[in-house]
Amino acid sequence: MDESGGSGRPQSDGADGPRPAEPHGPHHAPGSQEPTRPIGTAEEPERPADEPTRPADEPRRPAEPPEDENTTSLTKTPRAETQRTETPHTETPRTETPRTETPGDERPAEPPRPRAAYSGRPGKGTPVPPKAQKGPGGGLLMGKPFGVPVYVAPSWFLVAALITWVFGNQLDRVLPELGGARYLVSLFFAVAFYASVLVHELAHTVAALRFKLPVRRIQLQFFGGVSEIEKESETPGREFVLAFVGPLLSLVLAGVFYAGMRAVEPGTVPGVLLAGLMISNLIVAAFNLLPGLPLDGGRMLRAVVWKITGKPMSGTVAAAWVGRALAISVLIGLPLLNQSGALGGEAQDIGGMDTVTDALLAAILAAIIWTGAGNSLRMARLREHLPELRARTLTRRAVPVESETPLSEALRRANEAGARALVVVDTDGDPMALVREAAIVSVPQHRRPWVGVGGLAQDLTEGMRISAELAGEELLDTLRATPATEYLVVEESGEIYGVLSAADVERAFVKAMARPT
């Protein structure tokens, strides 16, 4: 018997089918998420005293794991996991009990993946959790530079129209001879500005690919762009470089536009466009260099604190709180600076539409920064607790049974051995399928002696065999690659260790996220 708690193939025990000498898998793995209960019974909340009693033959379904409003469900992937300015979406979907009609009918749980996001806009993105995107891209696909898809979100068209209107009115004062054509020039400016934002994002993308960090996509949206990078940097130095290259490219573009502006005649359409693009890229670079999450400057500050303390979480906490202070400063300070003329305009009296517009812009930017800082903290907590999710400690002990074994007999063997899962094996003891817990609890007690376990099982595919050594993000990635309700856990030698339920991983994930850091 090996020290890990697993055992080899089941031995035949005569006509009754295989009976293991020792139960498979851990007896009570350290860190087990719930007390052992007999297989074939479902958890359910207590009923109020006045609620009618459930009929004895009515199928009972497994209880759903608890929900936490600050967590991301493992059941469906947000089509989205990790952005660099952490944009995880904070919706918490419910975990649905799998249907029990046929294995093909199931919609198994799928674990989430944390992600980091870099955005090249004033007020970058906020953490996006795995379930936020409904489609594979989240917008209109524009191309795949460096193999990374670039999408334009529908919200971009709204902000492009706004830029076209505002910049067109400014052109009317500078170049009144343009007439209605000024809006075509202004539309060109809006497209060129977002092209420079795309260059900012591509800088993050190229750096990430250089560090062998997968990039899921780039998205241009209402307030700029976001590069969704699937994993966090492994060192503070790489984190600093990955964050700094975006503002650096914006500064380089500002220099290029300045040189172009000097080469053309002032007061012309090219001169005005180049001046506008130079100023806009300076603003993007300066804003993103502010030292607070979720901005690039915040990630640079995080890297510095990480380097000094040796703790990435300490860097995240420091940068997030600085980000929240920045949000308050923007909310109060931006309207005051605009009214005083400190940002280059004329001094304004308090009141009127200009004051309302300044306050609305400040509120939007402050909300983006505040939300992004909070999401950064939540995603950092998620990453810190991910290593606690270990396949070995979450696995249920299983007993092997043959396909023709009656369900009542299989449950008797499992309960006698203290196991909570059934593995269907062939005559040689090799695993063939897993008996679904949802299917077991749907069979009434009086029918179980006449129902074979084979009809309740799901055939094993290659992706449903996982190593007992998997843990953390690697475990979640493996479960996501092959969505299922149960997985066969095996030792490195190939011996059966037990069965891992996706619902158990869900509950462990929720509990880990609920614990304070």
Side-chain angles (χ1 to χ4, degrees), residues 165-331:
W165 175 260
V166 173
F167 193 68
N169 291 337
Q170 293 176 348
L171 283 177
D172 190 37
R173 294 193 293 268
V174 179
L175 300 170
E177 64 275 12
L178 287 178
R182 67 182 184 275
Y183 292 111
L184 291 177
V185 176
S186 184
L187 178 61
F188 178 83
F189 169 79
V191 173
F193 169 66
Y194 270 85
S196 63
V197 171
L198 176 60
V199 172
H200 177 116
E201 295 306 323
L202 286 174
H204 290 309
T205 296
V206 171
L209 295 176
R210 174 69 179 80
F211 294 142
K212 303 189 184 309
L213 300 176
V215 182
R216 183 171 176 269
R217 67 174 183 175
I218 296 173
Q219 187 181 46
L220 301 180
Q221 46 192 224
F222 183 80
F223 251 88
V226 175
S227 301
E228 295 183 4
I229 300 172
E230 298 287 337
K231 293 184 179 180
E232 283 292 304
S233 301
E234 296 178 355
T235 65
R238 290 186 175 186
E239 172 83 351
F240 188 93
V241 172
L242 195 53
F244 180 62
V245 291
L248 177 62
L249 255 292
S250 293
L251 289 173
V252 170
L253 284 176
V256 170
F257 290 131
Y258 175 76
M261 183 181 68
R262 297 296 299 270
V264 301
E265 184 178 349
T268 62
V269 170
V272 172
L273 283 174
L274 290 169
L277 291 170
M278 178 198 70
I279 294 171
S280 62
N281 275 276
L282 283 175
I283 292 174
V284 168
F287 197 88
N288 278 290
L289 284 173
L290 292 175
L293 287 173
L295 306 174
D296 287 329
R299 304 204 69 87
M300 293 162 62
L301 174 62
R302 175 181 182 268
V304 171
V305 177
W306 178 4
K307 178 67 175 178
I308 294 173
T309 64
K311 299 177 180 179
M313 188 62 187
S314 298
T316 301
V317 171
W321 279 105
V322 172
R324 286 173 168 174
L326 279 175
I328 297 174
S329 300
V330 168
L331 181 63

Side-chain angles (χ1 to χ4, degrees), residues 453-467:
V453 295
L456 307 174
Q458 180 177 6
D459 291 340
L460 280 172
T461 62
E462 187 59 31
M464 291 173 63
R465 298 171 186 258
I466 65 174
S467 169

Side-chain angles (χ1 to χ4, degrees), residues 85 119-126 223-224 287-288 294-295 364-365 368-369:
T85 52
S119 77
R121 56 181 153 80
K124 307 178 149 190
T126 54
F223 251 88
F287 197 88
N288 278 290
L295 306 174
I364 293 174
L365 292 178
I368 290 173
I369 298 173

